[in-house]
Short mmCIF file of all heavy atoms in Angstrom, two decimals:
data_model
loop_
_atom_site.label_atom_id
_atom_site.label_comp_id
_atom_site.label_asym_id
_atom_site.label_seq_id
_atom_site.Cartn_x
_atom_site.Cartn_y
_atom_site.Cartn_z
N PRO Q 62 84.15 98.81 98.24
CA PRO Q 62 83.27 99.48 99.22
C PRO Q 62 82.53 98.48 100.11
O PRO Q 62 82.31 98.76 101.29
CB PRO Q 62 82.29 100.26 98.32
CG PRO Q 62 83.05 100.48 97.05
CD PRO Q 62 83.86 99.23 96.86
N VAL Q 63 82.16 97.33 99.54
CA VAL Q 63 81.50 96.30 100.35
C VAL Q 63 82.47 95.80 101.43
O VAL Q 63 82.09 95.63 102.60
CB VAL Q 63 81.04 95.11 99.47
CG1 VAL Q 63 80.36 94.04 100.33
CG2 VAL Q 63 80.08 95.60 98.39
N GLY Q 64 83.73 95.58 101.03
CA GLY Q 64 84.73 95.16 102.00
C GLY Q 64 84.98 96.23 103.04
O GLY Q 64 85.19 95.93 104.23
N GLY Q 65 84.97 97.50 102.62
CA GLY Q 65 85.15 98.59 103.56
C GLY Q 65 84.05 98.62 104.61
O GLY Q 65 84.31 98.81 105.80
N TRP Q 66 82.81 98.40 104.16
CA TRP Q 66 81.68 98.37 105.10
C TRP Q 66 81.76 97.16 106.02
O TRP Q 66 81.68 97.29 107.26
CB TRP Q 66 80.36 98.35 104.34
CG TRP Q 66 79.20 97.94 105.21
CD1 TRP Q 66 78.61 98.68 106.20
CD2 TRP Q 66 78.53 96.68 105.20
NE1 TRP Q 66 77.61 97.95 106.79
CE2 TRP Q 66 77.53 96.73 106.21
CE3 TRP Q 66 78.67 95.51 104.43
CZ2 TRP Q 66 76.69 95.65 106.46
CZ3 TRP Q 66 77.82 94.44 104.69
CH2 TRP Q 66 76.85 94.52 105.69
N LEU Q 67 81.94 95.97 105.45
CA LEU Q 67 81.92 94.74 106.23
C LEU Q 67 83.07 94.68 107.25
O LEU Q 67 82.86 94.44 108.44
CB LEU Q 67 81.99 93.54 105.29
CG LEU Q 67 82.07 92.15 105.95
CD1 LEU Q 67 80.80 91.89 106.74
CD2 LEU Q 67 82.28 91.07 104.89
N LEU Q 68 84.28 94.91 106.78
CA LEU Q 68 85.44 94.78 107.65
C LEU Q 68 85.62 95.99 108.56
O LEU Q 68 86.18 95.88 109.66
CB LEU Q 68 86.69 94.54 106.81
CG LEU Q 68 86.66 93.17 106.10
CD1 LEU Q 68 87.67 93.12 104.97
CD2 LEU Q 68 86.91 92.06 107.08
N GLY Q 69 85.13 97.15 108.12
CA GLY Q 69 85.11 98.30 109.02
C GLY Q 69 84.19 98.05 110.20
O GLY Q 69 84.50 98.39 111.35
N ARG Q 70 83.05 97.43 109.94
CA ARG Q 70 82.11 97.07 111.00
C ARG Q 70 82.74 96.08 111.97
O ARG Q 70 82.62 96.22 113.20
CB ARG Q 70 80.84 96.47 110.36
CG ARG Q 70 79.79 96.02 111.37
CD ARG Q 70 78.61 95.36 110.64
NE ARG Q 70 77.67 94.78 111.57
CZ ARG Q 70 76.63 95.41 112.08
NH1 ARG Q 70 76.40 96.67 111.74
NH2 ARG Q 70 75.80 94.80 112.92
N VAL Q 71 83.43 95.08 111.42
CA VAL Q 71 84.12 94.11 112.27
C VAL Q 71 85.16 94.80 113.14
O VAL Q 71 85.29 94.52 114.34
CB VAL Q 71 84.79 93.00 111.42
CG1 VAL Q 71 85.70 92.12 112.28
CG2 VAL Q 71 83.74 92.15 110.73
N GLY Q 72 85.93 95.73 112.54
CA GLY Q 72 86.97 96.42 113.27
C GLY Q 72 86.45 97.25 114.43
O GLY Q 72 87.09 97.34 115.48
N ASP Q 73 85.26 97.85 114.26
CA ASP Q 73 84.69 98.67 115.31
C ASP Q 73 83.95 97.86 116.37
O ASP Q 73 83.91 98.24 117.53
CB ASP Q 73 83.73 99.71 114.72
CG ASP Q 73 84.46 100.84 114.01
OD1 ASP Q 73 85.57 101.20 114.47
OD2 ASP Q 73 83.93 101.36 113.01
N ARG Q 74 83.38 96.72 115.97
CA ARG Q 74 82.59 95.93 116.92
C ARG Q 74 83.40 94.83 117.59
O ARG Q 74 83.18 94.51 118.76
CB ARG Q 74 81.37 95.33 116.21
CG ARG Q 74 80.40 96.38 115.67
CD ARG Q 74 79.18 95.74 115.05
NE ARG Q 74 78.30 95.17 116.05
CZ ARG Q 74 77.33 95.85 116.67
NH1 ARG Q 74 77.13 97.13 116.40
NH2 ARG Q 74 76.56 95.25 117.55
N LYS Q 75 84.32 94.22 116.85
CA LYS Q 75 85.09 93.10 117.39
C LYS Q 75 86.54 93.44 117.70
O LYS Q 75 87.23 92.65 118.36
CB LYS Q 75 85.05 91.93 116.40
CG LYS Q 75 83.65 91.45 116.05
CD LYS Q 75 82.93 90.89 117.28
CE LYS Q 75 81.54 90.37 116.90
NZ LYS Q 75 80.80 89.88 118.10
N GLY Q 76 87.02 94.55 117.19
CA GLY Q 76 88.39 94.95 117.46
C GLY Q 76 89.25 95.02 116.22
O GLY Q 76 88.93 94.42 115.18
N ARG Q 77 90.35 95.78 116.32
CA ARG Q 77 91.24 95.95 115.17
C ARG Q 77 91.93 94.64 114.82
O ARG Q 77 92.14 94.33 113.64
CB ARG Q 77 92.29 97.02 115.48
CG ARG Q 77 91.78 98.29 116.17
CD ARG Q 77 90.54 98.89 115.56
NE ARG Q 77 90.24 100.19 116.16
CZ ARG Q 77 89.04 100.75 116.14
NH1 ARG Q 77 88.01 100.12 115.59
NH2 ARG Q 77 88.85 101.95 116.70
N LYS Q 78 92.31 93.87 115.83
CA LYS Q 78 92.97 92.59 115.59
C LYS Q 78 92.07 91.64 114.80
O LYS Q 78 92.52 90.99 113.86
CB LYS Q 78 93.36 91.95 116.92
CG LYS Q 78 93.98 90.56 116.77
CD LYS Q 78 94.32 89.96 118.13
CE LYS Q 78 94.86 88.54 117.97
NZ LYS Q 78 95.20 87.93 119.27
#
Side-chain angles (χ1 to χ4, degrees):
V63 180
W66 164 73
L67 176 64
L68 293 163
R70 178 184 173 90
V71 171
D73 286 327
R74 297 183 73 87
K75 302 297 182 183
R77 317 312 188 202
K78 176 181 176 180

